[in-house]
Amino acid sequence: MQQAELIERIKELKIKRNAVILAHYYSRPEVQDIADFVGDSLGLSQEAVRQTADVIVFCGVHFMGESAAILCPDKTVLLPEIDATCPMADMVDIEGLKREKEKHPDALVVCYVNSSAAIKAESYICCTSANAVEVVNSLEADEVIFVPDKNLAAYVEARTDKKIIPWEGHCPTHHQILREDVLKMKEKHPEAKFIAHPECRPEVLELADHIASTRGMIMYAKNSPAKEFIIGTECGLLHGLHKAAPEKKYYCVSEFACCPSMKMVNLEKVLFSLEKVQHVVTVPYNVRIRAKEALDRMLAVKIR
């Protein structure tokens, strides 16, 4: 089936199923183009809640589908590729987190949304890269256990007076962006601004002209007077940047900044998902209720 036929069939099935397609900025360009809404983790969570559709097709990794299922229990949430998991989310386990909570009984657990529903259920509040600092600073506790990303934890620690107890996890895609990569690109493109995601290593963030979530990076590039940008995040964001400000130039900081999991969903899988109503994401009731409390607390936090 040709791409045009795939797209037409997807549109037909969307109407038939009363479905909406949500896609992360890191998904394939053609998947972003057929989505009803493209965003970062925070924006997608908020959009899932706003939707009146019966079916949400989530073009992303497993924890994203779980978040939608937690927030929208009355909707059918589909993940086109059930094996699309987040390596960072898999780096934190329930028993280990419980032991950490026992060691720090006065600390509250702040859980990056890039984690499983079970981990969210063990946490007090969730956060995204867009609101992590505001979430931590909104808490009354002086100590925070931050899971699972140690790089985002370090970013927050530099912007709060609270004691941050980091978990030893990281995003492999962002973690392999090195300081040397940035310096080489800066030398090659001396007029370009370097925008970095807070999942990057601290020594990489030190070189950034601006640090932001994926949506924040797009807004910065769009509104900046600069004409060239080195992008320190997953390569999929370049598609959104080109659509937001096509007159500007963007350079991915590293050829290795590509997440295999986020590229697993393609148009064929979106079509199969709608045709067969697969793969339905479910979260056990007792886990969902506790995880929803953590997500609801996050959504209530006002960000700048």
Side-chain angles (χ1 to χ4, degrees):
M1 191 180 295
Q2 298 296 315
Q3 183 165 307
E5 293 178 83
L6 280 170
I7 292 170
E8 191 60 35
R9 182 63 180 144
I10 287 169
K11 289 178 179 178
E12 291 171 1
L13 282 169
K14 262 198 337 178
I15 295 170
K16 180 180 178 180
R17 306 283 189 214
N18 188 23
V20 64
I21 299 174
L22 306 185
H24 194 276
Y25 285 123
Y26 296 160
S27 56
R28 292 171 179 263
E30 62 271 23
V31 171
Q32 293 185 46
D33 288 344
I34 55 99
D36 297 288
F37 183 85
V38 181
D40 58 13
S41 297
L42 177 60
L44 293 173
S45 296
Q46 293 169 327
E47 192 63 29
V49 173
R50 284 193 288 264
Q51 288 302 320
T52 57
D54 296 321
V55 177
I56 295 175
V57 181
F58 217 119
C59 301
V61 292
H62 196 263
F63 78 80
M64 298 177 186
E66 278 191 333
S67 292
I70 291 164
L71 291 167
C72 312
D74 57 328
K75 297 179 176 65
T76 299
V77 178
L78 304 178
L79 199 66
E81 175 51 71
I82 196 64
D83 291 328
T85 59
C86 172
M88 177 166 61
D90 294 338
M91 291 181 189
V92 57
D93 63 284
I94 293 292
E95 293 308 314
L97 179 54
K98 286 181 177 178
R99 287 194 297 270
E100 201 68 14
K101 289 167 72 173
E102 288 173 2
K103 285 195 291 184
H104 305 280
D106 295 328
L108 291 178
V109 178
V110 176
C111 168
Y112 193 21
V113 292
N114 299 38
S115 55
S116 69
I119 293 296
K120 289 180 176 72
E122 282 295 324
S123 305
Y124 176 75
I125 191 170
C126 292
C127 76
T128 72
S129 57
N131 65 10
V133 174
E134 286 84 356
V135 164
V136 168
N137 285 331
S138 74
L139 303 177
E140 294 183 6
D142 295 324
E143 290 186 326
V144 168
I145 298 169
F146 196 100
V147 298
D149 185 7
K150 66 179 181 180
N151 290 332
L152 184 57
Y155 171 79
V156 172
E157 187 174 35
R159 292 159 178 79
T160 186
D161 294 328
K162 300 183 187 297
K163 180 182 178 182
I164 303 296
I165 303 158
W167 187 270
E168 279 296 311
H170 62 270
C171 166
T173 299
H174 286 93
H175 201 63
Q176 66 184 355
I177 296 172
L178 305 178
R179 181 181 175 89
E180 291 74 22
D181 298 327
V182 182
L183 293 174
K184 286 178 183 176
M185 290 299 289
K186 278 178 167 284
E187 185 177 356
K188 191 174 180 180
H189 305 284
E191 300 301 314
K193 296 290 186 182
F194 174 48
I195 318 174
H197 194 281
E199 287 181 24
C200 291
R201 296 167 181 262
E203 62 267 28
V204 169
L205 297 183
E206 287 174 0
L207 298 173
D209 295 291
H210 186 66
I211 303 169
S213 68
T214 45
R215 173 170 165 72
M217 295 169 87
I218 287 177
M219 297 308 297
Y220 176 80
K222 185 177 180 179
N223 297 324
S224 171
K227 300 299 181 185
E228 298 180 72
F229 302 89
I230 299 164
I231 306 303
T233 191
E234 209 275 345
C235 61
L237 187 66
L238 268 69
H239 186 65
L241 285 161
H242 281 297
K243 292 182 77 170
E247 74 281 5
K248 300 184 179 185
K249 294 182 179 179
Y250 308 99
Y251 314 107
C252 193
V253 70
S254 168
E255 62 181 307
F256 301 109
C258 181
C259 174
S261 294
M262 288 300 306
K263 299 297 186 279
M264 291 177 76
V265 175
N266 56 30
L267 292 180
E268 287 86 354
K269 291 177 182 177
V270 173
L271 177 59
F272 294 154
S273 185
L274 282 165
E275 280 182 340
K276 301 177 182 179
V277 191
Q278 69 175 27
H279 304 271
V280 178
V281 180
T282 57
V283 178
Y285 177 81
N286 62 325
V287 173
R288 184 182 69 78
I289 293 301
R290 293 162 62 208
K292 187 175 186 299
E293 290 177 356
L295 283 167
D296 284 343
R297 290 189 182 106
M298 174 190 78
L299 294 173
V301 174
K302 302 298 182 184
I303 64 172
R304 295 189 302 271

